[in-house]
Amino acid sequence: MMLEDCLVVLRKELRRTFTDRRTLFFLVVLPLVMLPVIYSVMHGMGKAKMDKLASTTFTVYVCVEKEDLDGADPFIEAISSLNADLVIIDPVGLDEAVRRVEDGKVDLLVVLPGGLDRMLETFEPFDVAVYYNSTSDLSMYAFGQVTGVLDDLSGGMATDRLIDMGIPAEVMTVFTVNGTERDYDLSPAGGTAVKVMAMLLPFFVLIYLFANSMKVGLDIVAGEKERGTLAIQLVNQVDRIAIVLGKMGAVMAAAVAGAVSSVTGLLIATRYFGDVFGGSGTDVSKVSIGTVGILQFAVVVVPLAVMIAGVILVISTYARNEKEGQGMVMPVYIVVMIMGIASMEVGDSAPPWMILVPVFNSLVVMGNILTGDARWSDVLVVSFTSILFSALSVYLALRMFRSEKVLFRI
Amino acid sequence: MRVEHLTKVYDSGSRSQVKAVDDVTFHCEPGEIFGLLGPNGAGKTTALRCISTLLKPTSGTVRVGEFNVLEHEKEIRARIGFLTSEMKLDGFFTPDYLMGYFGRLNRMSRKEIEARKEILYDELRMEEFIHRKIEKLSTGMKQKTAIAISLVHDPEIIVFDEPTNGLDVITSRAVTDFLGKQARQGKTVVVSTHNMSVAEKLCDRFGILVRGSIMDMGALEEVLKRNSADSLEDVFFGYILPAGEDDR
Ligand SMILES: Nc1ncnc2c1ncn2[C@@H]1O[C@H](COP(=O)(O)OP(=O)(O)OP(=O)(O)O)[C@@H](O)[C@H]1O
Ligand SMILES: [Mg+2]
């Protein structure tokens, strides 16, 4: 009988929540598309910036003594192969050139040492100075490009010398490291991408559990109080516990729906635009936590959703109207967000007692599940604390539902 | 239905207590319409909430047949149809859906619900809008819906808090006609209102409630005669204005 009553209420609330297009948009569609959209914009901007830099001609001053011009030839040739405006200057103008790099008028200054010709002939090692300006993207880009071709040039010249001496070029390469196309990352699931995911994903799960609980939970009791419809729902044959549980079920469903779609959104986003956070797209496709991981994840997330739904319901029951409810939820939201950020900071190094702190413990263990090193004992402890707090909030909500002082507070 | 020495004190924490209803006694028989007539803040809503089990009386009680609000909440709820004032039904649903929902909350079978729908839709002339979303309905249609919902379980006692508030004369008339018909069918009807013409036309008897106490009670002629007044309005002002300002 109880269960049946509960289902009557739950069905109505689910219908209210999940068949209204506007509500559905906020609860499910938005968390799904938000991250892919943000990521693709960031990805697009990053790519556009790189494209722009690559197509922009940068200015390089090459400082060389007049008598060394012959020896400087290969250097000049190498730099000219880039998309660069190359200006050769005499050491007399060096100070002025430095100033121009400082001012950003010139992107790069390459200084070839005096006596270059002689040193090349006598095989005396020398240093080429490349000055750049790290406040300018173009200067940094030019620096990368120019040092790249200079490194290649150095290697090529050394090889040429050996060949001239009659020594085969292979001698130069004693061995290479990871020189083939193979994938050398043997982490159980995808390296850096997994680390990033282990940090971000629990946080997004939390945000959407909370946001959706709030959206639905405040309307479902405080909103009904405000509209006067709560009172008539209490004058009938159904026990109030059925009403509390039915409403809570709907809040929880909305919370879980939000968590699922934000996780899906995060996976899509990192799969296609993962380079935004340093991991590469292909890395993320390997993020796979297996059946056990999924099971562990559910054992942590579902009780967490119940707990959050419960807390929101308690606040919603106490509040006189939706607005007041929002005001009361805000501090809780802030505390929860701080926990979320703290969990990203401490990660594995959390002290053992923190396993008993609700919300926080769920986040840490969710991260561990993603990196593949969660212990079942931790998973169960976390689940148990969430269930404990859920039960507490259901008890509180029910007490409030039976108290006329709370229901008719003015 | 008998209300006996009903007193309700709101205890709002450290602040002073509010005696919203003070030793109110009245009764209402099947076939009768009783009105609680009083100004804003008189305690009408509080009294009706006590009758409908939403609030526990501080002292005194309400009896329905052999049942007592203090001990038999469920039994009383099964026999009472309660309408709160200024209720805004969820605009997302249709009247028809909400009828079904509240029918289920009252543990009615599908068949009972359908039968009851047919009667109420007909009596309240709701047919044309039962499948429209409530947000798209006029105020009058919404009020009819609220009335139908509160009576889905065919209660013997009808307790309506300001049922004609905010309605135009036509819908107001439809509601009072409906309540009159219910009374003729043998229902016990208790309404609250601050509207004197409603009280005059609708109620067989009424009590004038001021600051939580019943000042006078009876049928219209009785009350007028007792107060040697020409109209209910005169009687009403006589009780509301403090004695010194009363220059009648
Ligand atoms: N939940 C509550 N807590 C504390 N005081 C209350 C509460 N509800 C009503 N009161 C107080 O009790 C008194 C009677 O209020 P009530 O709402 O019963 O009057 P009413 O006759 O229905 O008025 P109205 O015509 O404005 O609806 C008022 O002084 C009001 O301030
Ligand atoms: Mg009132």
Side-chain angles (χ1 to χ4, degrees):
Chain A
M1 210 53 159
M2 228 301 283
L3 184 70
E4 226 170 282
D5 293 342
C6 202
L7 287 178
V8 169
V9 178
L10 178 66
R11 217 171 314 137
K12 174 225 170 199
E13 299 298 355
L14 285 180
R15 190 186 171 107
R16 172 78 184 84
T17 309
F18 288 100
T19 61
D20 182 20
R21 239 182 275 156
R22 228 179 3 206
T23 317
L24 207 60
F25 176 79
F26 283 109
L27 294 184
V28 179
V29 181
L30 204 61
L32 183 68
V33 300
M34 200 178 73
L35 282 176
V37 168
I38 293 175
Y39 271 42
S40 76
V41 168
M42 280 165 70
H43 172 84
M45 285 189 330
K47 196 166 156 354
K49 197 167 133 193
M50 277 313 289
D51 287 351
K52 186 157 173 281
L53 288 176
S55 65
T56 310
T57 310
F58 52 85
T59 312
V60 184
Y61 278 12
V62 178
C63 176
V64 58
E65 307 250 5
K66 273 208 185 62
E67 49 277 29
D68 289 333
L69 273 175
D70 273 353
D73 238 17
F75 291 85
I76 290 163
E77 208 173 290
I79 295 170
S80 300
S81 72
L82 298 167
N83 190 7
D85 264 343
L86 193 142
V87 179
I88 295 171
I89 60 161
D90 193 83
V92 178
L94 191 58
D95 288 347
E96 173 63 16
V98 167
R99 216 164 302 126
R100 288 198 180 177
V101 175
E102 279 171 8
D103 298 346
K105 290 196 186 92
V106 170
D107 298 304
L108 216 61
L109 171 62
V110 178
V111 181
L112 298 174
L116 179 72
D117 271 2
R118 180 183 47 79
M119 288 189 283
L120 280 172
E121 305 239 317
T122 59
F123 293 178
E124 186 182 325
F126 57 89
D127 184 59
V128 176
V130 183
Y131 294 97
Y132 62 98
N133 181 341
S134 64
T135 56
S136 151
D137 288 337
L138 188 58
S139 178
M140 291 298 287
Y141 175 76
F143 178 74
Q145 297 281 307
V146 168
T147 50
V149 293
L150 290 181
D151 276 346
D152 287 350
L153 180 65
S154 164
M157 285 170 129
T159 313
D160 286 348
R161 284 178 181 173
L162 291 174
I163 290 168
D164 285 349
M165 291 166 148
I167 296 167
E170 302 89 77
V171 174
M172 274 294 286
T173 311
V174 179
F175 62 86
T176 59
V177 176
N178 281 1
T180 69
E181 290 288 302
R182 204 176 317 145
D183 188 351
Y184 296 94
D185 185 356
L186 299 181
S187 68
T192 49
V194 170
K195 273 214 187 108
V196 174
M197 288 294 256
M199 252 169 50
L200 285 181
L201 200 137
F203 193 58
F204 278 104
V205 167
L206 179 70
I207 286 179
Y208 273 98
L209 284 178
F210 211 97
N212 280 10
S213 295
M214 206 159 106
K215 180 130 187 54
V216 175
L218 289 180
D219 176 77
I220 221 166
V221 185
E224 291 225 44
K225 243 191 206 183
E226 190 177 352
R227 293 192 293 271
T229 48
L230 189 64
I232 55 163
Q233 284 182 74
L234 303 177
V235 190
N236 52 52
Q237 296 306 299
V238 167
D239 196 288
R240 289 181 186 183
I241 192 166
I243 294 180
V244 171
L245 291 180
K247 283 179 182 288
M248 189 154 154
V251 178
M252 199 194 103
V256 170
V260 168
S261 58
S262 74
V263 166
T264 312
L266 183 65
L267 291 177
I268 293 173
T270 35
R271 171 80 180 82
Y272 293 102
F273 316 109
D275 49 352
V276 171
F277 283 103
S280 73
T282 48
D283 266 356
V284 178
S285 67
K286 293 201 325 190
V287 176
S288 144
I289 55 175
T291 336
V292 175
I294 290 172
L295 191 66
Q296 289 180 327
F297 214 78
V299 170
V300 172
V301 171
V302 173
L304 179 68
V306 180
M307 178 173 71
I308 291 175
V311 170
I312 299 278
L313 211 66
V314 167
I315 292 172
S316 182
T317 308
Y318 186 72
R320 278 169 301 191
N321 52 51
E322 231 177 305
K323 254 226 169 82
E324 194 183 55
Q326 279 163 0
M328 290 172 173
V329 166
M330 249 16 245
V332 181
Y333 190 63
I334 290 168
V335 168
V336 166
M337 285 306 112
I338 289 172
M339 282 191 189
I341 292 162
S343 81
M344 294 206 277
E345 293 291 321
V346 295
D348 296 337
S349 58
W353 57 265
M354 281 196 176
I355 195 79
L356 295 174
V357 180
V359 179
F360 179 83
N361 60 7
S362 302
L363 291 167
V364 171
V365 169
M366 269 191 264
N368 292 347
I369 294 171
L370 289 172
T371 52
D373 46 32
R375 279 170 309 191
W376 267 109
S377 58
D378 287 350
V379 169
L380 293 178
V381 169
V382 165
S383 176
F384 180 75
T385 51
S386 298
I387 291 171
L388 200 72
F389 278 87
S390 304
L392 196 71
S393 59
V394 170
Y395 172 77
L396 258 176
L398 192 62
R399 281 279 304 260
M400 291 168 125
F401 251 81
R402 294 212 164 115
S403 154
E404 58 173 64
K405 267 199 195 123
V406 174
L407 286 189
F408 298 99
R409 203 165 66 87
I410 60 166
Chain B
M1 189 201 69
R2 279 166 296 142
V3 176
E4 296 167 356
H5 303 289
L6 181 69
T7 299
K8 178 68 193 178
V9 179
Y10 285 114
D11 188 3
S12 31
S14 52
R15 279 174 291 154
S16 61
Q17 297 181 333
V18 180
K19 206 174 215 180
V21 174
D22 189 2
D23 195 20
V24 165
T25 300
F26 67 87
H27 65 97
C28 185
E29 304 303 326
E32 191 182 28
I33 301 182
F34 184 86
L36 269 181
L37 177 64
N40 292 135
K44 306 181 291 293
T45 299
T46 306
L48 298 191
R49 278 180 182 162
C50 289
I51 294 172
S52 55
T53 74
L54 283 171
L55 297 178
K56 270 221 171 347
T58 309
S59 66
T61 188
V62 178
R63 286 179 207 281
V64 172
E66 75 264 37
F67 301 114
N68 180 331
V69 276
L70 299 174
E71 292 151 41
H72 312 100
E73 290 192 350
K74 271 226 158 104
E75 288 81 358
I76 292 206
R77 283 176 193 163
R79 287 162 180 76
I80 279 190
F82 178 59
L83 181 73
T84 56
S85 59
E86 289 175 24
M87 184 168 61
K88 294 184 196 72
L89 290 168
D90 195 334
F92 173 79
F93 293 111
T94 64
D96 198 57
Y97 179 84
L98 286 183
M99 285 293 281
Y101 173 63
F102 281 93
R104 301 305 295 273
L105 289 187
N106 281 290
R107 302 250 171 86
M108 295 164 75
S109 71
R110 198 147 297 180
K111 232 168 101 198
E112 289 170 324
I113 294 173
E114 288 308 317
R116 190 64 187 149
K117 275 182 186 172
E118 205 169 306
I119 294 171
L120 286 169
Y121 291 166
D122 181 55
E123 284 185 355
L124 287 161
R125 297 215 186 84
M126 292 172 63
E127 287 297 349
E128 53 157 333
F129 61 84
I130 51 169
H131 294 298
R132 261 194 260 162
K133 278 196 174 187
I134 288 172
E135 64 191 3
K136 300 220 168 74
L137 301 183
S138 71
T139 313
M141 291 169 174
K142 284 178 187 159
Q143 185 68 350
K144 284 180 175 181
T145 306
I147 289 172
I149 283 166
S150 65
L151 301 181
V152 64
H153 55 306
D154 198 11
E156 304 156 21
I157 300 170
I158 298 175
V159 179
F160 280 5
D161 194 2
E162 316 234 17
T164 58
N165 221 5
L167 301 181
D168 65 18
V169 278
I170 303 166
T171 331
S172 183
R173 183 64 167 271
V175 170
T176 51
D177 284 353
F178 173 79
L179 286 173
K181 199 165 159 203
Q182 295 300 309
R184 282 194 297 283
Q185 286 171 8
K187 309 279 184 195
T188 306
V189 181
V190 178
V191 296
S192 78
T193 182
H194 58 240
N195 185 321
M196 272 153 287
S197 76
V198 169
E200 275 177 29
K201 284 181 202 133
L202 179 65
C203 304
D204 299 315
R205 289 189 306 122
F206 52 82
I208 297 176
L209 190 68
V210 178
R211 288 185 290 273
S213 303
I214 298 247
M215 298 306 200
D216 201 351
M217 185 160 61
L220 181 62
E221 304 84 63
E222 282 174 48
V223 172
L224 290 183
K225 213 155 131 203
R226 210 170 12 244
N227 291 274
S228 49
D230 302 329
S231 71
L232 192 51
E233 203 168 310
D234 290 343
V235 181
F236 199 62
F237 277 108
Y239 285 116
I240 292 170
L241 298 174
E245 293 170 38
D246 188 357
D247 53 8
R248 198 159 30 106

